[in-house]
Amino acid sequence: MSNQRLIYGFHAINARLWQNPKSITEIYVQEGKSDARTRDVLQKAADEKVRVHFADADRLNKLSKGMRHQGVVGFIDASKNHVHLEDVLENLSEPPLLLVLDGITDPHNLGACLRTADAMGVHAVIAPKDRSAGLNATVSKVACGAAETVPYITVTNLARTLRELKEYGIWIIGTDTGGDSDLYRCGLPDSVAWVMGNEGEGMRRLTREHCDMLVSIPMFGTVESMNVSVSTGMVLSETRRRRTLQSEQA
């Protein structure tokens, strides 16, 4: 199956079983395991009528390509996880909070960004198809289930998508060391799409040109920059903090 994708580990498997069980084609469980987490997976799989196979550790190691699978491996039909941006935006009960990842190529960084996005209530993560790590087993593992809960939308033309977001009244805010203002002093509109650039090169020129504002993260120590997933956590946390204060004062 061309759209088949590997997932492994209890977080990724459980999240998929609860969020989108129909996308799971089969699960492999290590034979002889009877701990509580394994029993929960087996019970949920039975409830959802997901096919389960029992296999020895060597078989699971081969299926997971040597990754730490915790005794559970699954395969999903990735085509059943496709979400359209319009579906997300038209069904929100609060102003949009989006994360745009312009060229994040490290799957560990992508997984960490998705995990943070889930924690901060991001409504969708957007990335270009041709310049991104893409969802894979490593991303799902690092994301600890967030890859199955946060809508991850890949687009063929990121610049066009940014223009469409503006038509919805969403401000495009890029992160840059030479930003117009810093994170703690800038004014944040109600509807925001934060843009994070590539780990080494930052945002592409065309992406930068579509930003309504460029914001820097103040550095108070000796290092000059931070990992993209850490920066993502900072801007999303600050945005959520301000929203919480605003709602409490309303």
Side-chain angles (χ1 to χ4, degrees), residues 10 24 33 43 46 51 71 92 95 99 103 105 112 128 137 145 151 156-157 160 176 178 191 195 201 208:
F10 284 104
I24 304 175
K33 286 182 67 69
Q43 183 60 59
R51 183 169 53 182
L92 295 180
L99 176 63
T105 57
T156 55
N157 189 320
R160 182 172 60 203
D176 187 87
S191 301
V195 183
E201 302 171 359
R208 181 190 301 269

Side-chain angles (χ1 to χ4, degrees), residues 13-74:
I13 297 292
N14 269 318
R16 180 65 62 159
L17 280 169
W18 285 94
Q19 297 293 330
N20 194 0
K22 294 187 183 301
S23 68
I24 304 175
T25 58
E26 55 190 349
I27 293 175
Y28 290 79
V29 176
Q30 186 170 330
E31 56 190 14
K33 286 182 67 69
S34 59
D35 57 278
R37 292 193 298 180
T38 301
R39 293 197 303 270
D40 288 344
V41 165
L42 292 174
Q43 183 60 59
K44 185 61 176 174
D47 293 342
E48 300 295 344
K49 297 180 173 56
V50 174
R51 183 169 53 182
V52 175
H53 308 279
F54 292 94
D56 59 26
D58 287 341
R59 173 66 170 154
L60 292 179
N61 289 336
K62 290 179 181 178
L63 289 172
S64 65
K65 302 176 182 178
M67 304 304 290
R68 188 168 177 268
H69 51 71
Q70 301 175 306
V72 59
V73 171

Side-chain angles (χ1 to χ4, degrees), residues 200-214:
E201 302 171 359
M203 290 181 290
R204 288 176 290 181
R205 178 188 58 81
L206 195 56
T207 302
R208 181 190 301 269
E209 290 177 357
H210 281 82
C211 291
D212 298 302
M213 180 167 53
L214 295 176

Side-chain angles (χ1 to χ4, degrees), residues 80-125:
K80 295 185 178 180
N81 199 40
H82 186 68
V83 180
H84 294 284
L85 181 58
E86 293 80 6
D87 295 333
V88 173
L89 296 178
E90 292 174 3
N91 289 282
L92 295 180
S93 58
E94 65 174 341
L97 174 57
L98 306 175
L99 176 63
V100 179
L101 301 177
D102 184 25
I104 305 304
T105 57
D106 186 318
H108 291 87
N109 280 337
L110 176 56
C113 287
L114 287 170
R115 187 174 182 178
T116 300
D118 178 87
M120 293 296 103
V122 168
H123 300 115
V125 176

Side-chain angles (χ1 to χ4, degrees), residues 148-166:
E148 278 63 53
T149 58
V150 178
Y152 182 74
I153 301 168
T154 56
V155 298
T156 55
N157 189 320
L158 184 58
R160 182 172 60 203
T161 299
L162 295 179
R163 290 194 296 269
E164 292 173 355
L165 291 179
K166 292 185 181 186

